[in-house]
Amino acid sequence: EAGGECGMDFSYVPYDAYKQRELPDFVLNRTRDREVSRWYEERRVPVFHSSFLTEIGNHKGKTLAFLRGRLPEKILRTKWAPETLAVSKERLAQWQSALAAGDLEALHEVRRFQEEGEPFVMKSVDGHGGSEVLSFVPFSGADSGITLQQYCLDFNRRLGVLFGKDCLLQEMVSGSGRDIRVYVVGNRIYQAMLRQGQGDFRSNASLGGRAGAYSLSESEKEYIGQF
């Protein structure tokens, strides 16, 4: 309907039928599959988003690596991202074997969080909607009211949703349950949206979070401009 107002004819193309359709003037790829974008690019059809952006935008580890290599030094000197460690699906399987045996010490990656008593987050690199983002509170010994074996069993059970997935282990950031998304079109800020979780550290709408328009401050605009 919006396209019609601008003299543009849009049509929906099923994921399993795009190769059989006549080539369009341009494509809006909403599949999260970079191969769809690549197929059109090979035929010189403009795609939004490109295969490159579709790939890194749907892989949290690749997104961080890209930003780390491109952000200006002024940003990199600040706390611009949470402390992050990659946990491969093979390593995750080792975690689960250790937890099944009640061996929390074998999870070397979480040792710092255990020692400092800080909550941490586990998430799949390609998840969306928040269903594959989990928070954990370190085991605090006898004061917790549960045994180490009970803690390990619960930890292992919850990790089941990430089985077979490459993951990221991250520190829990302040202000959890609230985030701001800024939409930039043609290097111009188009709109900012505030997402707020409802009784959850995750702000995803699919998990009950709410979203509304947000007015950026001048300092926030200046910060965004550095990207």
Side-chain angles (χ1 to χ4, degrees), residues 50-124:
S50 68
S51 57
F52 171 74
L53 190 55
T54 300
E55 178 179 7
I56 69 166
N58 290 288
H59 190 291
K60 299 175 180 65
K62 293 180 180 179
T63 300
L64 283 172
F66 175 80
L67 291 173
R68 192 174 289 115
R70 296 294 187 92
L71 289 177
E73 191 64 29
K74 184 177 180 180
I75 292 288
L76 294 175
R77 286 198 299 266
T78 67
K79 183 72 172 181
W80 67 276
E83 179 182 341
T84 302
L85 293 173
V87 180
S88 68
K89 56 187 174 185
E90 292 80 13
R91 179 58 179 151
L92 188 67
Q94 294 174 352
W95 276 26
Q96 294 188 285
S97 295
L99 288 168
D103 183 9
L104 186 60
E105 290 297 316
L107 280 61
H108 306 299
E109 296 86 348
V110 304
R111 183 169 297 165
R112 195 270 286 175
F113 301 102
Q114 291 290 344
E115 292 174 349
E116 299 181 9
E118 298 177 357
F120 55 94
V121 173
M122 287 289 298
K123 61 181 68 171
S124 63

Side-chain angles (χ1 to χ4, degrees), residues 137-174:
V137 177
F139 178 64
S140 56
D143 295 338
S144 66
I146 62 172
T147 66
L148 176 61
Q149 183 180 20
Q150 289 173 323
Y151 179 86
C152 288
L153 287 175
D154 182 65
F155 195 162
N156 196 13
R157 177 187 61 78
R158 296 185 61 207
L159 282 180
V161 71
L162 303 176
F163 180 75
K165 297 267 190 176
D166 291 327
C167 299
L168 298 181
L169 166 66
Q170 293 183 320
E171 63 177 317
M172 177 77 79
V173 300
S174 60

Side-chain angles (χ1 to χ4, degrees), residues 183-190:
Y183 294 86
V184 180
V185 181
N187 291 325
R188 181 175 66 88
I189 295 175
Y190 180 73

Side-chain angles (χ1 to χ4, degrees), residues 180 189 192 214-224:
I180 298 170
I189 295 175
Y214 177 82
S215 296
L216 293 166
S217 67
E218 290 304 315
S219 61
E220 288 170 331
K221 292 178 182 178
E222 181 180 355
Y223 183 82
I224 293 165

Side-chain angles (χ1 to χ4, degrees), residues 174-220:
S174 60
S176 290
R178 177 180 183 273
D179 66 51
I180 298 170
R181 288 193 170 193
V182 182
Y183 294 86
V184 180
V185 181
N187 291 325
R188 181 175 66 88
I189 295 175
Y190 180 73
Q191 179 66 59
M193 301 293 292
L194 171 65
R195 302 194 310 172
Q196 180 70 59
Q198 301 297 305
D200 196 318
F201 77 102
R202 299 164 295 185
S203 59
N204 304 82
S206 58
L207 300 176
R210 297 179 180 177
Y214 177 82
S215 296
L216 293 166
S217 67
E218 290 304 315
S219 61
E220 288 170 331

